[in-house]
Amino acid sequence: RTSRILSVSIPVSDQDKAKQYYCDVLGFDLLIDAVLWPGARLIEVGLPGSDIALLLLDNNGEIPIGVRMGVVDVDAAHRIVRQHDSTVREEVLRLDFAPPMFEFTDPDGNVLVYLQDPPA
């Protein structure tokens, strides 16, 4: 079961310009600006008091553009989603710098990502 929405990605053509616009014009706080690996720059912005962040992602980059959601048991969610959708990442991705996660699409092709989200 989905526990919460973590972030929503926005595809951008120029990440620096987008960061400036969201932070300086719209008043968002810069939460993260990091190159995770070559071709994968993560810019995360958020508003004070909001639990949902926006990811300003290069529309030609390697990080999937979609909605990121938390789930308490990512392995169980992976098994369930695989039973109902043929466009699921084959295995749960486990990185040193992020919680376990996997990418999938809904029936309309929208990209969704589940990340392990421990209970509060």
Side-chain angles (χ1 to χ4, degrees), residues 28-105:
F28 282 73
D29 293 330
L30 179 64
L31 304 175
I32 298 171
D33 185 350
V35 176
L36 304 179
W37 63 84
R41 180 179 178 197
L42 175 68
I43 297 178
E44 182 176 289
V45 297
L47 294 171
S50 177
D51 292 334
I52 301 172
L54 297 180
L55 303 182
L56 308 175
L57 299 178
D58 182 341
N59 55 11
N60 295 313
E62 294 185 14
I63 301 174
I65 295 172
V67 177
R68 283 160 180 72
M69 302 174 293
V71 66
V72 174
D73 186 340
V74 75
D75 295 303
H78 187 258
R79 286 190 298 276
I80 291 167
V81 171
R82 283 189 68 172
Q83 294 173 6
H84 297 280
D85 191 323
S86 61
T87 57
V88 179
R89 183 181 194 90
E90 285 299 314
E91 58 188 46
V92 174
L93 184 60
R94 299 177 194 281
L95 304 169
D96 293 336
F97 55 85
M101 68 184 82
F102 70 94
E103 173 187 338
F104 60 104
T105 59

